[in-house]
Amino acid sequence: MYLILSIFLASILGLVLLISGPWVGSILAFGIIAGCMFRGLYLLNDIHRRLLNDLPRADKAKVVYKDYLSEKEENSQR
């Protein structure tokens, strides 16, 4: 049902843009396309922030300990 409504509204919008003339239609079409792109970028940024908050953070002590062990292992092999 939502798809049919979207197709109907897009058809009406296309008809309005076609009737309104080249200048007004192109300005409206550009505004619609730019608005959709900005909204998409905003949603991608929001998704990115939410995913970063959900990721487990690495414990600094464990990272330093792993680095220490790898350096110790390299030194022992020399």
Side-chain angles (χ1 to χ4, degrees):
M1 188 68 175
Y2 182 70
L3 177 63
I4 294 171
L5 178 66
S6 297
I7 292 171
F8 181 71
L9 291 176
S11 300
I12 291 174
L13 179 64
L15 183 64
V16 169
L17 289 176
L18 187 65
I19 291 173
S20 64
W23 284 103
V24 176
S26 62
I27 290 171
L28 285 174
F30 176 76
I32 291 168
I33 292 170
C36 290
M37 288 177 57
F38 285 132
R39 178 66 178 166
L41 286 174
Y42 172 76
L43 290 175
L44 281 175
N45 189 25
D46 188 39
I47 291 170
H48 178 70
R49 276 189 288 134
R50 288 181 187 207
L51 287 177
L52 282 181
N53 289 339
D54 290 342
L55 290 178
R57 306 212 191 271
D59 188 18
K60 289 183 181 182
K62 289 181 182 178
V63 172
V64 170
Y65 183 68
K66 285 181 183 179
D67 290 340
Y68 168 74
L69 288 178
S70 64
E71 287 178 14
K72 186 177 177 183
E73 200 173 285
E74 287 178 8
N75 289 336
S76 67
Q77 291 178 357
R78 291 183 187 178

